[in-house]
Amino acid sequence: ETCLWKWLLVDQAGFSMPNFRLQIPNNHFHKHWHDQSAHKGRIVTWHNQAARKHRRRENRLVKAQRVFPRPVNGMLRPVVHCQTIRYNSKKRAGKGFTLTELKEAGVNKREARGIGISVDYRRKNRSEGGLRENVARLAAYKSNLIVFPKKMNRKKPQATDSSKAEQSKAEQVVGDVMPIVKPKPGVVPYKITKADTDKKVFFTLRVARSDAKLVGKREVRAKKAVADAAEKAKTAL
């Protein structure tokens, strides 16, 4: 039997049989590198990555010169909460300010886009806190806003135009206008007292959980005790 088993494992040429417990090789080396009609777009290369990076930078510089002195990244965006219950605690930049927010901040909805404020006609304010936050954001933006006249050769400037001194101090904003910064949680230092060390937190939690669990049974027991006392008083008479 031993000789027969060895003969099954080794063929006539002297090579051993493969170990079938290992993974079966299934390699795919037929890569279609050439542009054929049957296999078009199988392999995508990106050899011009550095050139595209240089071109994007040049386009950004051209855009910054074209839109000067306006911000490079576009208009002011509101602060909104993300969707779904998983992400609604986080804040991000929205599409535009609502008509209610513009009215509360004293901004004309037809002139908002002309002074760099985005407008969203579809969004509605669902909370008072979000409304006040965006109104304060608009007020802070208006306090730092510098409005250039439409016609530089105008003899009598309009009331909404900034003075020449303010126009000379204008600087172009390169990044986002008033970016949304996530507040960092601050840790308040606290000195541990003897009363804190004497507290039994685990014991307190277990007692509170037990009280919440047995509240129904204790009410039934208390009612039954009152009923038994009343019955005993009747029988005593």
Side-chain angles (χ1 to χ4, degrees):
E1 295 180 357
T2 305
C3 297
L4 179 60
W5 177 250
K6 288 183 177 180
W7 183 81
L8 291 174
L9 290 178
V10 181
D11 56 1
Q12 297 179 358
F15 298 102
S16 60
M17 296 287 289
N19 188 358
F20 294 101
R21 292 172 297 182
L22 301 178
Q23 183 180 1
I24 299 176
N26 189 20
N27 301 324
H28 298 77
F29 295 110
H30 297 285
K31 297 182 182 296
H32 300 280
W33 290 91
H34 302 287
D35 190 7
Q36 302 175 1
S37 60
H39 308 285
K40 185 177 292 185
R42 288 292 184 89
I43 297 176
V44 180
T45 58
W46 196 13
H47 301 303
N48 60 341
Q49 180 180 5
R52 289 291 180 87
K53 179 181 178 180
H54 178 72
R55 188 172 71 179
R56 288 195 301 270
R57 176 175 172 79
E58 294 295 328
N59 291 339
R60 286 196 299 269
L61 294 176
V62 171
K63 178 186 176 181
Q65 295 176 359
R66 185 179 70 251
V67 302
F68 181 84
R70 292 173 291 180
V72 180
N73 286 10
M75 295 181 289
L76 177 69
R77 303 290 178 180
V79 179
V80 298
H81 287 267
C82 299
Q83 295 180 348
T84 69
I85 194 174
R86 182 175 183 179
Y87 302 105
N88 61 3
S89 61
K90 297 183 179 181
K91 297 180 180 179
R92 63 173 179 86
K95 176 181 175 62
F97 292 89
T98 61
L99 302 181
T100 307
E101 294 168 352
L102 296 175
K103 185 178 180 180
E104 290 287 336
V107 180
N108 191 345
K109 62 181 180 180
R110 295 182 179 84
E111 299 176 357
R113 293 179 60 86
I115 58 177
I117 300 176
S118 58
V119 182
D120 188 2
Y121 293 90
R122 297 177 297 177
R123 187 169 65 89
K124 298 180 181 179
N125 294 102
R126 303 295 184 184
S127 64
E128 188 70 20
L131 174 63
R132 296 304 170 197
E133 184 178 7
N134 284 323
V135 170
R137 184 176 175 85
L138 287 172
Y141 176 78
K142 288 173 60 179
S143 62
N144 299 325
L145 181 64
I146 298 176
V147 180
F148 283 74
K150 293 183 178 180
K151 297 180 180 180
M152 300 301 295
N153 57 355
R154 181 180 296 167
K155 295 182 180 180
K156 185 179 180 181
Q158 294 183 354
T160 56
D161 296 342
S162 302
S163 61
K164 293 185 178 180
E166 293 179 349
Q167 295 176 17
S168 61
K169 298 178 182 179
E171 296 181 359
Q172 190 178 30
V173 180
V174 178
D176 295 335
V177 182
M178 299 177 62
I180 301 173
V181 181
K182 182 181 179 181
K184 295 183 180 179
V187 179
V188 180
Y190 176 75
K191 186 176 181 180
I192 300 176
T193 60
K194 188 176 185 302
D196 297 332
T197 56
D198 294 341
K199 286 182 180 180
K200 298 180 181 180
V201 181
F202 182 76
F203 176 78
T204 305
L205 292 176
R206 290 301 296 265
V207 170
R209 186 169 65 178
S210 179
D211 292 342
K213 183 179 180 180
L214 299 176
V215 61
K217 293 183 179 179
R218 289 175 179 175
E219 287 181 358
V220 173
R221 192 182 305 168
K223 291 180 180 179
K224 186 177 180 181
V226 172
D228 293 344
E231 188 69 24
K232 187 180 293 185
K234 289 181 180 180
T235 55
L237 294 175

